[in-house]
Amino acid sequence: MKHYGQTCAIARALDVIGERWSLLLVRELTLGPRRYRDLATGLPGIPSNVLAARLKDLQAAGVITQRTLPAPTDVTVYELTDAGRALQPALKELLDWGLRYAPEPSLDAAAQPGWGLLGAAGRPAALPDGQTCELRVGPEVFYLGSDAGTLTVRRGPAPDGDAVVTMSADTLFSLLTGQMTVTGAVRHGTAGGDTEIARRALEPLAAALAKPAPAM
């Protein structure tokens, strides 16, 4: 990795996570551990040798770690360390900055449900602690819960969840961008279990990726 050779803490941070793809690797692990092939899928366009190099660099820097899930899975996954999780507020600030100031994506730009849900994570949630919802978007599954009144999002199922919502990726992005209401999203998908819990779980997603109004 290249280094700036400066005592500035910002420069030293960029020595670790400033290489192309590094922060996006952290983004991919924000919602939970992922296999190598999942990371390759979540980072369309990254060359295999670059992915391997970034994983090696970030492990050496103590940002991510590697472990094998217990039997019967026996699958090797990558996950964030405490240092990696400490980058999440910075990613949230970058997400907000991108919504406000970055150019609009091109029509052929890649889009994935997990990226959109990052914009909803941490928003105020009326979902009581302990009540959860499983959100299914195509082949992907997400856990929606709450922690101290804010939405928690993780990859994977919600075991013994109170509700299950299934919707298409198009419906999810329409909800996230404010083009569709929670009621409309539920109507276009399916909801099982406690529908009131389902609605409460989806409320923080509404317009989570809408472009903020210009400051007056």
Side-chain angles (χ1 to χ4, degrees):
M1 295 179 68
K2 297 179 180 178
H3 297 281
Y4 289 101
Q6 299 178 10
T7 59
C8 168
I10 295 174
R12 296 196 336 269
L14 291 176
D15 286 344
V16 177
I17 47 98
E19 291 278 359
R20 188 167 187 243
W21 299 105
S22 292
L23 268 181
L24 294 185
L25 256 173
V26 175
R27 176 199 68 187
E28 288 304 299
L29 296 173
T30 296
L31 299 183
R34 306 207 77 186
R35 297 171 296 179
Y36 183 95
R37 69 181 184 184
D38 295 327
L39 291 172
T41 300
L43 295 167
I46 188 172
S48 180
N49 64 317
V50 173
L51 174 56
R54 294 296 177 270
L55 287 170
K56 181 180 179 181
D57 290 340
L58 291 173
Q59 286 183 85
V63 175
I64 66 175
T65 188
Q66 185 179 5
R67 68 184 173 96
T68 301
L69 298 178
T73 306
D74 292 329
V75 171
T76 298
V77 296
Y78 296 89
E79 61 186 355
L80 296 176
T81 62
D82 288 342
R85 286 187 288 273
L87 287 166
Q88 292 177 8
L91 284 178
K92 180 67 169 79
E93 291 295 330
L94 277 173
L95 189 154
D96 292 342
W97 189 93
L99 288 176
R100 186 176 296 276
Y101 299 111
E104 293 296 321
S106 62
L107 293 177
D108 61 349
Q112 296 189 16
W115 304 345
L117 290 174
L118 284 174
R123 296 186 94 195
L127 194 63
D129 288 346
Q131 294 184 319
T132 62
C133 175
E134 184 172 296
L135 175 62
R136 301 173 182 173
V137 185
E140 298 200 64
V141 180
F142 300 92
Y143 166 105
L144 304 180
S146 67
D147 180 21
T150 60
L151 182 69
T152 299
V153 183
R154 295 199 298 266
R155 292 186 184 276
D160 303 318
D162 300 283
V164 176
V165 177
T166 302
M167 65 178 64
S168 68
D170 286 344
T171 297
L172 174 63
F173 283 109
S174 292
L175 176 63
L176 289 167
T177 55
Q179 300 174 64
M180 187 178 291
T181 64
V182 170
T183 298
V186 172
R187 186 183 303 121
H188 279 76
T190 60
D194 190 323
T195 55
E196 180 58 28
I197 294 299
R199 290 177 181 277
R200 289 190 179 191
L202 294 177
E203 282 172 1
L205 277 59
L209 296 184
K211 189 176 183 68
M216 299 299 291

